[in-house]
Amino acid sequence: MNSTKKAKTALISVFHKDGLAPIVKKLNELGVIIYSTGGTEKFIKELGINVIPVEDLTSYPSILGGRVKTLHPKVFGGILSRRENENDLSQLNEYNIPEIDIVIVDLYPFEKTVLSDATEQDIIEKIDIGGISLIRAAAKNFKDVICVSSMNQYDDFLEIMSNSNGETTLEERKNFAAKSFAISSHYDTAIFNYLNNSEITFRESFDTVSTLRYGENPHQKGYFFGDLDALFDKLHGKELSYNNLLDVDAAVNLINEFKNDTPTFAILKHNNACGLAQRDSLKQAYLDALAGDPTSAFGGVLISNREIDTDTASEIHKLFCEVVIAPSYTSEALEILKGKKNRIILIQKNIELPKNQYRTALNGVLYQEKDNKTDNASGITTATIKQPTTNELEDLFFASKICKHTKSNTIVLVKNKQLCASGTGQTSRVDALNQSITKATHFNFDLKGAVMASDAFFPFPDCVEIADKAGINAVIQPGGSIKDKLSIDYCNDHKMSMIFTGTRHFKH
């Protein structure tokens, strides 16, 4: 069997016409007979190129408002017929069905329509039926037919046609078939996720992939599936690495807690905040965030909830950092930050973040709703006799927001809306607290009057006792331990305030 096929006929039915004209002209130059329908047919005619309407082939008009155009045996028979099968060829001859060697389809933009303000009926009408059927049929019969299933493949296909005088190899056809089934599966997944509101199932598909320099370590391959351009404008610097992306994800989710607050600046390293502060000016917020741990800040990811100005950029430029993220930059600030050629500078766009999370585990996937609950005054109870002051309460909620985005077990210490230190990823809550106190002391923080946040309850009073001896006055924690009373009694005896949120914030 000859694996190289010379194309004699093509069926073209596309939504996007951009980039199609050179293909049509090349096919015409090669003597390929072109069939088409609707808007594509009109487009080809306007190029001055002969085209046969599909209606002339099928002897059926387009019906039901265009819902049925190509769904006919004379179309699908020509696509699915096996050129080496005598029975197939006999039936083509019997029913006067022409072989179709090329199928070019670009589907209705279902996902873009969903993201628009379109009505449900408009969205439903953008579920492509004929196009997806043509793709599947042509891809299935890749031994004889080449299927171009997206406008993103136009250039590659044109190159093949131009370089091979209209011939395709089996390898090329199989490659295009694989891409076709990727298109069709992604399309069906998008439709399912739009319609589904009751079935518990996991269906995710990403059409865009970026090859990373490597994975978590240089010996590991790494890829990112998703559209980063929808979330960021990249203004400067090298490509984001696997580890950069993990830190950027943590940074974006953390700063989202402070989205509408006064100027707030965070510095992250290995997915955890090593500095965070909120001040009247962004420059001061950055300086106080940096003071939280100037050692760990080296090589970190920096993020702001406000436009970065010249004064702030000048301070940032003194630090070696991998990534800087902000909603915007002044022109002077941007020029300063571009002073380091590899520094990645991103503008974060104002789009909604995903509401769910998933990760591989064992031989499957763990899937959950994101922890979208933020502790606030409406959901708390004061467990102690002493009430926290207004300033303490503000610091407690500030600390709780950081705690929620820090690896468990964690303890977070805050004073005057500045992260003093945190204990991160410890197997013991006592270890996390001791780590945070040691770190805060090392960087010369006075913890007298500071507050403490814990991501989970205290099973024993040891943590509040250690905190008290370090000078901490107020505590926020979920509560819920059968031994809560031990911690409450200690706080009452030592004039500490403690509030319960009723919500645990584990992060693994």
Side-chain angles (χ1 to χ4, degrees):
M1 183 179 70
N2 183 10
S3 66
T4 301
K5 300 286 183 180
K6 173 78 171 178
K8 299 177 182 177
T9 57
L11 172 62
I12 307 176
S13 180
V14 301
F15 183 86
H16 292 102
K17 313 300 188 295
D18 297 342
L20 182 63
I23 291 175
V24 173
K25 292 175 181 178
K26 174 54 68 174
L27 294 178
N28 183 61
E29 178 187 316
L30 294 169
V32 175
I33 297 170
I34 300 175
Y35 298 92
S36 190
T37 183
T40 309
E41 176 195 341
K42 180 182 177 184
F43 175 82
I44 295 171
K45 283 181 176 178
E46 289 175 350
L47 293 174
I49 293 172
N50 188 46
V51 56
I52 300 173
V54 167
E55 291 87 345
D56 288 359
L57 173 62
T58 63
S59 299
Y60 256 92
S62 172
I63 62 173
L64 306 181
R67 282 189 165 198
V68 180
K69 292 179 283 192
T70 57
L71 296 169
H72 193 280
K74 281 202 170 185
V75 174
F76 283 85
I79 296 170
L80 287 164
S81 63
R82 293 158 290 189
R83 308 318 195 241
E84 304 294 327
N85 186 300
E86 291 185 5
N87 288 332
D88 284 9
L89 296 178
S90 175
Q91 288 187 323
L92 291 186
N93 185 58
E94 179 182 355
Y95 295 108
N96 194 28
I97 300 173
E99 295 176 352
I100 296 176
D101 305 316
I102 299 170
V103 172
I104 303 176
V105 175
D106 185 69
L107 298 171
Y108 293 159
F110 177 80
E111 290 178 282
K112 287 184 178 179
T113 307
V114 170
L115 294 174
S116 70
D117 294 327
T119 64
E120 182 177 83
Q121 187 56 43
D122 288 337
I123 292 170
I124 296 302
E125 289 304 319
K126 286 297 186 290
I127 297 178
D128 205 314
I129 303 300
I132 206 77
S133 302
L134 291 170
I135 286 173
R136 291 180 62 83
K140 175 178 179 176
N141 201 25
F142 67 84
K143 287 186 177 180
D144 298 302
V145 180
I146 186 166
C147 181
V148 181
S149 53
S150 166
M151 65 180 296
N152 296 326
Q153 300 164 19
Y154 287 176
D155 289 345
D156 291 342
F157 175 72
L158 180 60
E159 184 178 355
I160 291 171
M161 290 291 102
S162 300
N163 294 339
S164 63
N165 197 34
E167 291 185 343
T168 59
T169 65
L170 179 61
E171 182 181 3
E172 288 167 341
R173 296 192 299 275
K174 191 172 183 178
N175 180 42
F176 273 80
K179 293 178 180 179
S180 297
F181 282 114
I183 292 287
S184 67
S185 64
H186 177 81
Y187 198 76
D188 287 341
T189 296
I191 296 168
F192 169 80
N193 286 332
Y194 170 73
L195 294 173
N196 180 52
N197 57 13
S198 59
E199 185 176 348
I200 300 174
T201 186
F202 181 73
R203 297 283 189 278
E204 290 291 343
S205 177
F206 295 96
D207 225 9
T208 307
V209 59
S210 302
T211 301
L212 306 176
R213 297 196 301 276
Y214 49 81
E216 202 161 7
N217 299 292
H219 63 277
Q220 296 169 267
K221 292 182 179 178
Y223 306 91
F224 177 78
F225 292 89
D227 184 8
L228 282 175
D229 291 340
L231 185 57
F232 300 111
D233 284 329
K234 183 169 176 285
L235 305 181
H236 183 74
K238 62 185 179 180
E239 294 303 313
L240 287 158
S241 70
Y242 184 98
N243 292 328
N244 286 155
L245 288 167
L246 289 175
D247 282 335
V248 167
D249 176 71
V252 166
N253 281 284
L254 173 59
I255 207 68
N256 195 51
E257 299 282 353
F258 306 94
K259 187 175 181 178
N260 299 314
D261 290 1
T262 52
T264 306
F265 210 104
I267 304 172
L268 288 90
K269 194 75 169 286
H270 296 297
N271 305 168
N272 295 306
C274 58
L276 198 153
Q278 192 172 90
R279 294 292 182 259
D280 291 333
S281 74
L282 191 63
K283 174 186 173 181
Q284 195 59 51
Y286 166 72
L287 290 173
D288 288 350
L290 180 63
D293 187 347
T295 303
S296 295
F298 183 86
V301 169
L302 282 56
I303 190 165
S304 164
N305 71 343
R306 295 291 183 91
E307 179 178 78
I308 292 182
D309 55 28
T310 304
D311 289 345
T312 308
S314 296
E315 294 296 335
I316 292 171
H317 192 58
K318 299 174 185 177
L319 174 73
F320 168 73
C321 57
E322 291 272 341
V323 185
V324 182
I325 310 167
S328 59
Y329 304 81
T330 65
S331 57
E332 295 87 353
L334 187 56
E335 288 308 308
I336 292 169
L337 294 174
K338 284 182 176 179
K340 299 286 177 67
K341 69 175 184 178
N342 288 328
R343 180 183 284 148
I344 300 166
I345 304 174
L346 303 175
I347 287 180
Q348 183 182 346
K349 299 178 183 178
N350 187 24
I351 68 169
E352 186 177 2
L353 297 173
K355 296 179 180 178
N356 299 303
Q357 295 174 311
Y358 51 89
R359 63 197 292 185
T360 58
L362 301 175
N363 61 343
V365 172
L366 285 170
Y367 187 94
Q368 68 170 354
E369 296 176 344
K370 283 179 72 171
D371 183 357
N372 291 316
K373 186 170 183 179
T374 299
D375 298 327
N376 56 56
S378 65
I380 63 167
T381 57
T382 302
T384 53
I385 296 171
K386 183 183 178 183
Q387 298 275 341
T389 66
T390 300
N391 288 340
E392 286 174 342
L393 202 56
E394 289 179 357
D395 273 354
L396 288 168
F397 292 134
F398 187 88
S400 177
K401 290 177 180 180
I402 302 170
C403 196
K404 171 182 165 182
H405 293 274
T406 306
K407 295 288 185 182
S408 298
N409 287 315
T410 185
I411 292 289
V412 170
L413 306 181
V414 162
K415 185 176 180 180
N416 298 326
K417 294 185 180 177
Q418 179 184 22
L419 173 62
C420 301
S422 58
T424 61
Q426 299 301 303
T427 53
S428 158
R429 199 159 302 281
V430 172
D431 287 347
L433 175 55
N434 284 328
Q435 181 191 50
S436 63
I437 292 171
T438 300
K439 193 172 182 179
T441 303
H442 176 73
F443 290 114
N444 301 314
F445 280 98
D446 178 7
L447 292 179
K448 186 176 181 180
V451 306
M452 173 175 74
S454 174
D455 59 340
F457 63 62
F458 300 125
F460 304 103
D462 44 9
C463 282
V464 291
E465 182 178 353
I466 295 169
D468 173 42
K469 291 177 179 177
I472 291 163
N473 291 339
V475 179
I476 184 170
Q477 58 131 322
S481 169
I482 59 173
K483 296 184 178 180
D484 274 345
K485 189 173 185 301
L486 296 177
S487 295
I488 294 170
D489 287 346
Y490 183 92
C491 289
N492 284 334
D493 290 343
H494 294 81
K495 296 182 172 54
M496 296 174 70
S497 64
M498 181 164 63
I499 61 176
F500 287 172
T501 65
T503 303
R504 189 180 73 185
H505 293 294
F506 271 167
K507 185 172 185 283
H508 293 100

